[in-house]
Every structure is written in C-alpha cells, then in structure tokens.
Amino acid sequence: MKNFIIATLLLILSALVVWVIYEIFITPEAERLIAGARAAGSAAPQALPVILKDWEQQVCITLALWCLLLLGAKLWGIFNDNHLYDIDFLGAMLEANEGEDEKQTLRKTMQEIEQLPEKITASPVVQTLLASIRRYLMTDDVHSTSEAISLSIDGLSLRQEAGNTMIRYVIWAIPSFGFIGTVRGIGAALTQADEALKGNITQMTDSLGVAFNSTLVALCLSIPLMLLLHALQRFQDGELIKTQEYCEKFLLNRVSK
C-alpha cells in the first residue's frame, strides 16, 4: 500500500510539472510559431515546441518522467543498502557471548536485529538473514538453513520482478500513445485531402506533422527508458548475489563449524 501511494504521488507530481512546462513555455511558443507560419502561407516549422505541442506528446513526457522517478527510487534503494553488506550483524554479538549456547546467542542476536530501525530491517539482506536464522533455530540443520537462504533469494527475485511490472507497462504505454497521435494525425490529414487537391496543402502537412511528431517523441523516450530498466535489473541481480554471499559468509560459515 505504501509503494502504491508513493507511485501515485510521483505520477501526480510528474503530471503537474509537465503541465506547468507546457502552459508556460511549450504551448505559447508553439502557437506563436504556427501563427507566424500560417501568416506567411507555409507549414509549421519543425521546431521543438511544435514537435511537442500535442496532448499525446504531453502524456508521453508525463509517463516518461514518472517512469524515471520510479526507476530512480528503486536505484536509490539499492545504493542506499550497499553499506549493509559490509556490516557483520552477527559478529559482535557472537563474540560477546563466546562460550554460551550458540542457538541461544543467535536468538538474542535475531531479537536485537529486529529492534533496529525499519529502513534496515526492511532491507533484502537483513530480511534474508533473519529468515535464515529462524530456519536454523527451528531445524538445527545447516543444509536446511542453506535452503532457506535460496528460498529467500527466490522470493526476493519474485518481489523485484513484480515491482518492475508498472515500469514495464509505462514503457510499453509510451509508444502506444505515440501511435494514437499517428492515427489521429493521419485521419485528420485524410479529411483535408480535398483542400490539398485544390492546392492548399498547409493544413494537410500540419496534420501529418502531428502524426509523425507523436511517434518520434514516443520512440525517443521509450528507447533510453528501456535501457535504464535493463540497468536496474542488472543492479537488482547484483543485489541478489551479494545477499546470498553475505548470508553464506556471515551465517553458514559460522553455524557449519
């Protein structure tokens, strides 16, 4: 629920920012350029405000900004948790209680870790570590603990995949809105065929400009976004690998002795 609220707020923020930019800069400048071209009896120039002026492009830019914010939030979460892989959560407690029952010491350690701030306990590495300790305390079996680590990593992978679903949909939706503008522009151009046959092709070329500009903007936005999504997935895969290596190094190596 928290993630849904954050995503919704980011969408509202993206829409507001893009709307302000359109109202202040893009729309007035595009109208000025088009009016000047019509007064001169020519087609609208291929300036950036003219290319971006239609609502399809505005929607595409809004979705692209929203997607960038979602990607940025996920990447920030990964980078923000990097320092946790250098912390031995078990070491200090086990050394302080050396000579005592190992399972009792692990139980105390788990309770102390659970009392840490939520931003730490909610991290993948700490969640996996806690799940692995619980399994070891219940089974007293190293092999079962190793399986618990693998299951936790698989579950984390599924959660990451599900969390990227909205980003994938947005990247797919951007070209779709571009194609909507293409269909709308071509349809408008066809209705102006009679004027073109009479020698006035200005309105027809303007409509074709709408068709091609919307596709151009949509494709130019979706290509880098797809690249960033693949980069995010690479970092997420690296996070899974580091989480597994952490649990094997700091937990399995200790309980298997």
Side-chain angles (χ1 to χ4, degrees):
M1 186 64 181
K2 178 182 177 182
N3 291 336
F4 175 77
I5 293 174
I6 292 175
T8 303
L9 292 176
L10 290 177
L11 175 59
I12 294 172
L13 175 63
S14 302
L16 182 61
V17 169
V18 174
W19 178 79
V20 169
I21 293 174
Y22 264 76
E23 288 296 314
I24 295 177
F25 300 107
I26 295 177
T27 302
E29 182 65 14
E31 291 176 349
R32 185 187 68 81
L33 292 172
I34 292 173
R38 286 179 177 173
S42 60
Q46 282 296 92
L48 184 61
V50 177
I51 294 174
L52 301 178
K53 66 180 177 60
D54 299 295
W55 69 266
E56 290 91 354
Q57 289 90 308
Q58 183 175 353
V59 171
C60 288
I61 294 173
T62 300
L63 292 177
L65 179 58
W66 183 38
C67 189
L68 279 175
L69 293 175
L70 294 176
L71 287 165
K74 289 184 177 293
L75 288 171
W76 172 256
I78 293 174
F79 294 144
N80 199 39
D81 290 342
N82 269 341
H83 71 284
L84 297 177
Y85 295 96
D86 299 324
I87 301 174
D88 184 1
F89 290 98
L90 301 178
M93 188 67 181
L94 291 174
E95 291 173 3
N97 296 275
E98 187 175 359
E100 295 185 6
D101 179 68
E102 183 183 68
K103 295 184 70 173
Q104 184 64 28
T105 303
L106 282 174
R107 190 172 287 107
K108 290 180 181 178
T109 304
M110 185 177 67
Q111 292 172 352
E112 288 191 358
I113 294 174
E114 289 174 339
Q115 293 173 2
L116 292 173
E118 183 181 356
K119 65 179 181 179
I120 295 178
T121 57
S123 64
V125 61
V126 175
Q127 288 287 316
T128 304
L129 179 63
L130 291 174
S132 304
I133 294 175
R134 290 191 189 96
R135 176 65 68 88
Y136 179 73
L137 293 174
M138 288 188 296
T139 64
D140 196 19
D141 180 61
V142 175
H143 178 70
S144 179
T145 305
S146 178
E147 289 182 346
I149 294 174
S150 298
L151 290 173
S152 296
I153 295 297
D154 292 340
L156 176 60
S157 177
L158 291 174
R159 288 195 299 272
Q160 290 177 343
E161 191 71 18
N164 293 339
T165 302
M166 179 59 69
I167 296 176
R168 286 197 186 88
Y169 174 78
V170 173
I171 295 176
W172 170 85
I174 289 173
S176 299
F177 277 103
F179 293 143
I180 290 174
T182 300
V183 173
R184 184 173 71 88
I186 292 175
L190 291 175
T191 62
Q192 295 154 358
D194 292 341
E195 292 293 325
L197 291 174
K198 295 177 182 178
N200 182 14
I201 64 171
T202 301
Q203 293 182 344
M204 188 174 185
T205 54
D206 287 344
S207 297
L208 290 175
V210 171
F212 297 128
N213 290 339
S214 60
T215 302
L216 173 65
V217 171
L219 294 178
C220 288
L221 291 173
S222 61
I223 291 173
L225 288 175
M226 184 59 72
L227 177 63
L228 290 175
L229 176 59
H230 284 294
L232 171 63
Q233 291 174 329
R234 180 179 177 183
F235 282 115
Q236 288 177 334
D237 291 340
E239 185 180 40
L240 296 177
I241 294 172
K242 288 193 293 184
T243 299
Q244 183 167 4
E245 290 177 346
Y246 178 93
C247 292
E248 290 175 352
K249 176 181 178 182
F250 291 111
L251 179 60
L252 284 185
N253 289 346
R254 284 193 170 104
V255 299
S256 61
K257 292 179 181 179

